[in-house]
Amino acid sequence: MDIPEGEYNLKEFCRVIIDSPETVLSGYHGQRIKSYLYLSDDGWRDYLDRHYQTEDLGQITKFVGEYRNRKGAEQPAEFYVGEYKDDLQMVVTAETEEAIRQALLPISQHSDCLSPMPIMTEDFQTMNEIVLSSYDDMRISEFKSKRVPSLADARTRPDVDREIEYKGIDGRERLNEFREEYGVVPTRIQYEHENVSIRIDTSGKFTLETINQESFNILFELLSEVVVNVLELLDVANSIKFEKREVMPGNLKIQVPEVSSGEIHFDQQVTLMQAENFIRGTKISNDLNFSFTDVTKQAGSLDFSAQVTDENRGSLFNVSATEESMRIVPKHDCSFPSLVEFYLAVIQMLDGGARMKLYESHQAA
């Protein structure tokens, strides 16, 4: 991206893109802006400095990585990051999907201070309602929906877990028809309008295919709708931890382990087969790297426990699940990105309506 030298905050940086999209995006095929949101903690900027070439542009940081193009040649990939809110960073880029996959997405895989921002499924429905209520003639050309019983009833086989992808000029009508018939709600949507073409999904990625004030207005309006719940999730993840507290009984000085555990409350009853499919899905996923050991399970109603390791970060925690909830007990170096991404895996592959909360704090035995 061809950004003039200067100092910018996030709003000013976006204004440069809006005012001169042809200049800023010259040389980029497709001329799209992609925005990713990351939850952050102290040390995230130092992490960027260690892994990328960085340059300060006021409150915006340019960071450059490398990737191999389709011909196998190494090329630079440019990204810009600015603070949207405390503990929430926005990354903006015009790079290709391949450059993003190689140079940007690994940014958080080994970091204890950065995690992709998930959007809860219920919040995503509110975002969709905001867009459609703002534009009576907004078209939906593509969407992906999944079954979430708490958000939609189904007339046809309501006990079936299903996922539907659709492309067509009548997507807006089809989305509602599928919701009423099959109880599925959207998790990815492509909007089309005379002045707007934008794609959103629950992974926290926003793709602006029209670069103008209207597109950026939609982006920031939608973010304002979800930011409170997202930052509450960050607070919960930061509170789930294993630490040692120093106490002094009499003349002694000892360290007492203290555990604050979490709980993921399911929106629907989860079966043993679903739990097994969830474990299998995390193993074959290109975006996740969780391993499950010491797995115990019983047939019939769900009674399941395991030790979970984030192989990228070394985080370690125990989980135990019933049909209604999953308890998370941290063990070793359990950083907030591991917990946020585990929760993201749950809502993507097990229960789209699940919620994570703090369970309890106690001294370990």
Side-chain angles (χ1 to χ4, degrees):
M1 294 170 66
D2 187 6
I3 303 295
E5 290 187 10
E7 295 190 352
Y8 308 95
N9 58 29
L10 185 58
K11 183 178 180 180
E12 293 165 343
F13 178 77
C14 293
R15 170 53 59 188
V16 171
I17 299 174
I18 293 167
D19 289 345
S20 306
E22 294 84 4
T23 301
V24 170
L25 300 177
S26 62
Y28 286 92
H29 178 70
Q31 297 203 335
R32 298 183 179 97
I33 289 292
K34 293 125 183 175
S35 175
Y36 296 79
L37 279 295
Y38 285 86
L39 296 169
S40 63
D41 203 351
D42 294 341
W44 72 269
R45 176 56 204 273
D46 290 338
Y47 181 81
L48 282 188
D49 290 338
R50 292 195 304 271
H51 293 84
Y52 296 89
Q53 298 177 22
T54 60
E55 178 185 352
D56 285 333
L57 302 173
Q59 297 176 33
I60 299 295
T61 299
K62 176 183 178 181
F63 60 102
V64 182
E66 289 187 343
Y67 77 103
R68 290 191 179 275
N69 63 21
R70 287 178 294 179
K71 297 180 179 180
E74 285 194 352
Q75 287 188 231
E78 297 181 354
F79 308 95
Y80 296 81
V81 59
E83 185 176 78
Y84 175 74
K85 292 280 187 182
D86 289 344
D87 302 325
L88 186 57
Q89 314 303 321
M90 176 184 284
V91 173
V92 178
T93 186
E95 295 291 347
T96 64
E97 294 298 325
E98 184 59 26
I100 291 169
R101 184 185 69 81
Q102 293 185 40
L104 175 64
L105 298 188
I107 186 176
S108 64
Q109 290 180 349
H110 299 276
S111 171
D112 289 331
C113 51
L114 283 169
S115 175
M117 180 196 81
I119 299 175
M120 273 66 87
T121 312
E122 187 173 0
D123 289 339
F124 194 79
Q125 311 316 305
T126 303
M127 292 166 65
N128 180 45
E129 292 169 5
I130 289 173
V131 175
L132 297 184
S133 64
S134 300
Y135 297 87
D136 291 336
D137 54 347
M138 177 69 78
R139 299 183 303 279
I140 294 177
S141 60
E142 178 184 344
F143 65 84
K144 179 179 180 180
S145 290
K146 66 184 299 181
R147 180 81 173 104
V148 182
S150 67
L151 299 180
D153 295 326
R155 287 198 294 258
T156 301
R157 295 180 294 279
D159 56 332
V160 174
D161 188 26
R162 51 172 66 95
E163 192 171 85
I164 297 174
E165 293 192 50
Y166 185 83
K167 291 183 179 181
I169 59 173
D170 61 342
R172 183 166 180 166
E173 293 76 20
R174 279 297 191 184
L175 188 148
N176 290 328
E177 291 167 0
F178 287 158
R179 179 190 182 107
E180 293 173 2
E181 188 67 30
Y182 300 110
V184 293
V185 297
T187 58
R188 185 183 72 223
I189 303 177
Q190 173 79 41
Y191 297 105
E192 304 287 350
H193 190 264
E194 180 181 1
N195 298 314
V196 173
S197 180
I198 184 171
R199 177 190 295 248
I200 63 175
D201 67 50
T202 52
S203 69
K205 176 186 177 183
F206 298 80
T207 304
L208 279 60
E209 298 182 356
T210 49
I211 314 303
N212 54 33
Q213 183 68 60
E214 199 167 356
S215 295
F216 275 89
N217 285 346
I218 292 175
L219 169 63
F220 283 101
E221 182 179 5
L222 296 182
L223 286 177
S224 68
E225 182 63 35
V226 302
V227 66
V228 172
N229 286 341
V230 167
L231 292 178
E232 285 180 356
L233 173 64
L234 175 61
D235 288 341
V236 170
N238 274 325
S239 299
I240 299 172
K241 55 189 175 182
F242 177 95
E243 57 187 359
K244 292 185 177 181
R245 183 168 56 88
E246 194 172 86
V247 297
M248 298 182 64
N251 295 324
L252 296 175
K253 183 184 292 186
I254 60 175
Q255 288 187 329
V256 178
E258 191 168 87
V259 177
S260 297
S261 56
E263 183 180 59
I264 296 177
H265 183 75
F266 298 137
D267 169 62
Q268 57 184 329
Q269 286 196 341
V270 172
T271 66
L272 180 58
M273 180 178 294
Q274 288 175 312
E276 291 173 337
N277 290 338
F278 169 68
I279 294 175
R280 192 176 302 112
T282 60
K283 289 180 179 179
I284 64 176
S285 171
N286 293 324
D287 302 321
L288 301 168
N289 198 10
F290 292 106
S291 63
F292 292 76
T293 55
D294 299 333
V295 177
T296 61
K297 51 191 177 182
Q298 293 183 7
S301 62
L302 179 61
D303 186 359
F304 162 85
S305 65
Q307 180 173 276
V308 183
T309 303
D310 182 340
E311 298 291 350
N312 289 327
R313 300 183 182 88
S315 295
L316 191 67
F317 53 95
N318 290 333
V319 298
S320 56
T322 65
E323 294 173 331
E324 286 79 27
S325 64
M326 179 184 292
R327 177 95 172 271
I328 300 173
V329 181
K331 295 187 71 176
H332 176 68
D333 291 340
C334 197
S335 62
F336 89 82
S338 295
L339 296 169
V340 169
E341 289 175 27
F342 184 77
Y343 170 68
L344 181 59
V346 169
I347 62 176
Q348 287 180 340
M349 293 188 285
L350 185 60
D351 182 355
R355 292 279 182 170
M356 186 165 72
K357 63 181 182 179
L358 190 63
Y359 182 73
E360 65 179 10
S361 297
H362 64 273
Q363 291 184 358

